[in-house]
Amino acid sequence: MRQNRAKTSDYPKLGSFRQTTPRPLAPAPDFWPAILPPAACRTYNIHMKLIAALLAAMLPCLAASPSADKNKVLGSANAPVTIEIFIDYGCPMCKRFHQEELPLLMRDYVVSGKVRIISREFPLNIPAHKYSREAANYATAAARIGAAQYDAVANVLFQEQESWETSGKVWETVSSVLTPEQQKKVKSLVGDSSVIDEVQADVDYGTAGGINGTPTLFVEKGSKRYPATGGVLAYNLLKGLIDDLLK
Amino acid sequence: MIFSNRASRALLILRIALGVVFAYAAWVKLDTPWQLFAGAIADYKLLPEWAVNPLARSLPWAELLIGLLLITGFFLRIAATACSLLLLVFFSLMVRAYAFHMEISCGCFGPGELISWRTLLRDGSLLAVSLIVTWTSFVGRTPWSVFFPRAQRISAPL
């Protein structure tokens, strides 16, 4: 009976059904063969590829924010709290923030050097805001000339929002606050690829941060960064938040 | 309470999962400045300004308490009822905001999450689980035991 019993070694191994010829080993790294056998080198290679894939997947998280145009920054670079705001010139809530809350923030925190505000472009890609991208490009081009020009263009774009949004006369609105010389410069800059890329970099940065509406504020101090989405945070709440962070 | 072994195990898992979700939601809110949660509440445009701040400060603690009670099983009927009522209110408000196309933050698990069909589905599922847990804590049998009257029953704590 015992002799008739088949031994496990009599059966072909499971792997042999799938593959009759041995698979060639992956080439070993140059500096390992002296230390490790080829099988270990292959394992090493697989692990290294996995680590590389993981690092590549993490790259968007590790990516630093695009450098902000200095003319779009309000306040001291040494301010302990930074507010990053993503705006769309065609968005009514952004207009409200710009006209009602920004002056209060300037008065209470920016002038005293406690808060720095970074404006970022986030023109929404929706039919109702079809001229927002153009407006963002003009504002960015104006910022290349100077902070005063950027402020003037941003102010007039928000002030005349309903007008240019319906008529599409963005340039007419922007040019009304610029001198003829500045108009020439802005007109030449707006088609420049660096301006277009800067706007797109802001949009990409915002999208990577999970933004899908405007205005979106990020209030940050050190490594802490808090998003305020879905509308304008009432000024008393924003003030309370900044005061808590400054403590 | 009388349940089959399998039902009591499923209910225990559901109850603890619900408790963990509530405790996690509370922890996220307590870990971020309360003003952001107050902003999310204010965006629903239902409460007067004077009521928003106290609610934003107290609600996360209530959620934490409910979560811990659900996990431990103490005062289960009270905790499960409170949980269901809270979720019913949250879900109704979210459906209302979604129906009116209000692009506002849900406020469920901290700031930065806009109301969408995903958040509705998630909160709807939580509400369904909570209602099942509440039902069983009072009635003593699972809602689906109605369809399986001959199922073997043994005594088991919920």
Side-chain angles (χ1 to χ4, degrees), chain A residues 161-174:
Chain A
Q161 190 185 72
E162 287 172 11
S163 165
W164 62 261
E165 265 214 310
T166 47
S167 66
K169 292 179 178 175
V170 184
W171 170 242
E172 286 78 355
T173 310
V174 169

Side-chain angles (χ1 to χ4, degrees), chain A residues 81-210:
Chain A
V81 173
T82 299
I83 296 176
E84 209 168 23
I85 176 159
F86 289 79
I87 50 167
D88 175 340
Y89 293 101
C91 144
M93 296 293 273
C94 298
K95 179 182 177 176
R96 199 186 118 194
F97 178 84
H98 187 85
Q99 294 184 335
E100 294 175 19
E101 297 201 7
L102 193 59
L104 297 176
L105 274 174
M106 290 289 288
R107 185 195 67 192
D108 295 342
Y109 299 103
V110 178
V111 173
S112 56
K114 293 174 185 168
V115 168
R116 180 171 68 130
I117 298 173
I118 300 173
S119 294
R120 298 235 183 238
E121 310 296 341
F122 200 80
L124 295 171
N125 192 18
I126 52 173
H129 292 203
K130 58 184 171 185
Y131 302 112
S132 290
R133 171 76 66 157
E134 194 183 341
N137 288 343
Y138 277 122
T140 305
R144 292 284 173 91
I145 303 174
Q149 284 73 30
Y150 170 70
D151 287 343
V153 168
N155 286 340
V156 79
L157 282 172
F158 279 125
Q159 203 175 323
E160 305 294 329
Q161 190 185 72
E162 287 172 11
S163 165
W164 62 261
E165 265 214 310
T166 47
S167 66
K169 292 179 178 175
V170 184
W171 170 242
E172 286 78 355
T173 310
V174 169
S175 61
S176 66
V177 291
L178 299 171
T179 63
E181 197 182 331
Q182 289 166 352
Q183 286 178 19
K184 274 184 195 168
K185 282 183 184 172
V186 169
K187 200 72 177 162
S188 64
L189 277 169
V190 80
D192 192 63
S193 62
S194 67
V195 168
I196 294 165
D197 290 348
E198 187 182 325
V199 173
Q200 189 55 45
D202 278 359
V203 173
D204 292 343
Y205 173 48
T207 309

Side-chain angles (χ1 to χ4, degrees), chain B residues 57-115:
Chain B
R57 289 190 154 197
S58 55
L59 195 56
W61 292 105
E63 285 180 350
L64 184 65
L65 182 66
I66 290 170
L68 292 176
L69 289 177
L70 284 173
I71 292 167
T72 55
F74 291 121
F75 304 106
L76 186 59
R77 287 181 178 181
I78 297 170
T81 309
C83 180
S84 293
L85 287 175
L86 265 183
L87 282 171
L88 201 62
V89 171
F90 294 161
F91 188 65
S92 311
L93 293 179
M94 284 168 66
V95 168
R96 174 186 167 273
Y98 191 70
F100 286 121
H101 304 288
M102 294 166 78
E103 288 182 3
I104 58 172
S105 175
C106 154
C108 315
F109 294 92
E113 189 185 21
L114 294 181
I115 292 175

Side-chain angles (χ1 to χ4, degrees), chain A residues 212 226-227 229-230 237 240-241 244, chain B residues 33 35-36 43 49 103 111-112 114:
Chain A
N212 46 15
Y226 303 109
T229 52
L237 294 174
L241 172 60
D244 281 357
Chain B
Q35 291 92 349
L36 294 174
D43 284 342
E49 204 175 320
E103 288 182 3
L114 294 181

